[in-house]
Amino acid sequence: MRYIAAYLLLQTANPEVVPTQEAVTKVISAAGIDVDSERLGQFFAAIEGKDISQLIAEGQSKLASVPSGGAAPAAAGGAAAGGAAAPAAEAKVEEEEESDEDMGFGLFD
């Protein structure tokens, strides 16, 4: 995620210049964060030859298919009327949150 953020920061600062690995490394290092050159290389290999606006559009379409937890407010509304359904709904929400931790990456990886 840090590599994407640094890349987009550089791209936004100067849209006419394509950010390089060296530039991304400088931005991340300036923030006091260690750079994993292998992962940075993988990131640049994945975006090679692609337009940033195309990548953002693809990402948005993928995010649109991800469930956003819209059922939780409806469950909470029903729990207020039923009373007994509240613990079951809360337990389900907690299980979903815990499963996110096992995705194999963190916010700052």
Side-chain angles (χ1 to χ4, degrees), residues 15-92:
E16 297 173 6
V17 178
V18 176
T20 63
Q21 288 188 27
E22 293 79 23
V24 170
T25 300
K26 283 183 182 180
V27 168
I28 294 172
S29 297
I33 301 172
D34 294 330
V35 176
D36 181 353
S37 58
E38 182 179 332
R39 290 187 81 178
L40 181 60
Q42 291 172 348
F43 168 72
F44 270 89
I47 64 167
E48 185 177 353
K50 297 183 180 178
D51 180 42
I52 194 68
S53 58
Q54 175 190 3
L55 291 173
I56 291 172
E58 287 176 12
Q60 287 177 335
S61 67
K62 288 180 182 180
L63 283 176
S65 66
V66 174
S68 62
E90 290 176 11
K92 183 176 181 181

